[in-house]
Amino acid sequence: MTSSDGSATKPTVTPWAAPTPSRNPLRRLYHWILSWAHHPAGTWALAVFAFLDSSVFPIPPLFLQVGLSLERPTRSWWYATVNTLFSVLGACLGYAIGFWLWDAIGVRIVGPIPEEMRQKLLTNAFAVTLLYSFVPMPYKLITIGSGFLHLNLPTLLIASTIGRSGRFFLLGAICYYMGPRAKEFIDRHFNKVCLAIALLVAAVLIVLKVVLAK
């Protein structure tokens, strides 16, 4: 590519571009979230979305974190920190909804908690919360369910901090080190990587439980 005076110019590369709008309301919401990657208040939007995602929001803030990180790769770690912090703070709202407002709001958000999930939370809340806060699963089921079952709040917050930070900092690392190539990798492999790590963590926890029981 050359300029008007004949000198060579470099093509402009946009690391992140929001997709073309759709008629699907959820798809439009998704596009709207991505549009904040180009907004001066994008970090604040990430904080709000992360907070609400832990209890009521239908689309996770992961998309905005990716958009912001690809726009400003050197701030990838900061966006991971914001996402983690406000996601864990939002877990408190989810817990409160389950604890005090289950019949009015909680059950309408997550539906009845399956008996199998109830037993898992009652018997091993830390491990279940840790895994659900890391893998692409309905995290709000854990936050609201923990409140409904009157489980220990510190356990929820500690396990959530470990799980959410692992998920979001892994995402930040991919964006930081891979640059524009990160989006394709995340679209194709990120959930698989998270699931593989979660399975490894679950295996370690099971082994530790068996060893400690002896």
Side-chain angles (χ1 to χ4, degrees):
M1 183 180 294
T2 58
S3 61
S4 58
D5 60 2
S7 59
T9 60
K10 295 182 178 180
T12 301
V13 178
T14 302
W16 178 273
T20 304
S22 165
R23 293 183 179 181
N24 185 308
L26 287 180
R27 179 63 62 176
R28 288 203 301 269
L29 179 60
Y30 165 71
H31 294 168
W32 177 71
I33 290 174
L34 288 183
S35 72
W36 284 93
H38 310 283
H39 196 281
T43 303
W44 287 106
L46 177 63
V48 172
F49 296 156
F51 181 83
L52 295 178
D53 172 62
S54 298
S55 55
V56 297
F57 211 55
I59 297 181
L62 176 147
F63 305 117
L64 180 54
Q65 184 188 334
V66 172
L68 288 167
S69 296
L70 295 184
E71 283 283 318
R72 307 167 188 85
T74 58
R75 291 175 62 84
S76 296
W77 310 114
W78 169 242
Y79 298 132
T81 300
V82 170
N83 209 354
T84 299
L85 175 61
F86 283 90
S87 181
V88 174
L89 289 175
C92 295
L93 174 60
Y95 186 91
I97 290 174
F99 196 97
W100 285 297
L101 301 171
W102 170 256
D103 291 330
I105 300 176
V107 71
R108 297 185 181 183
I109 296 175
V110 300
I113 299 177
E115 184 60 29
E116 182 181 1
M117 177 58 70
R118 289 194 188 201
Q119 293 305 315
K120 287 181 178 179
L121 281 171
L122 289 171
T123 58
N124 207 346
F126 184 88
V128 173
T129 301
L130 176 63
L131 293 176
Y132 266 71
S133 61
F134 182 78
V135 299
M137 298 291 281
Y139 176 56
K140 58 180 62 67
L141 174 63
I142 300 300
T143 63
I144 296 176
S146 294
F148 171 66
L149 297 173
H150 292 197
L151 300 180
N152 185 265
L153 179 59
T155 297
L156 170 68
L157 298 181
I158 293 171
S160 294
T161 299
I162 297 171
R164 299 311 262 181
S165 63
R167 179 173 175 81
F168 296 139
F169 275 89
L170 174 61
L171 187 67
I174 293 172
C175 292
Y176 182 83
Y177 290 110
M178 295 186 65
R181 293 178 297 135
K183 182 181 183 298
E184 182 179 357
F185 177 86
I186 291 166
D187 287 344
R188 292 187 177 185
H189 306 296
F190 183 68
N191 285 340
K192 296 177 184 177
V193 171
C194 287
L195 286 171
I197 295 174
L199 290 174
L200 177 61
V201 171
V204 171
L205 290 173
I206 291 172
V207 171
L208 288 174
K209 186 175 182 179
V210 171
V211 171
L212 293 174
K214 293 182 178 179

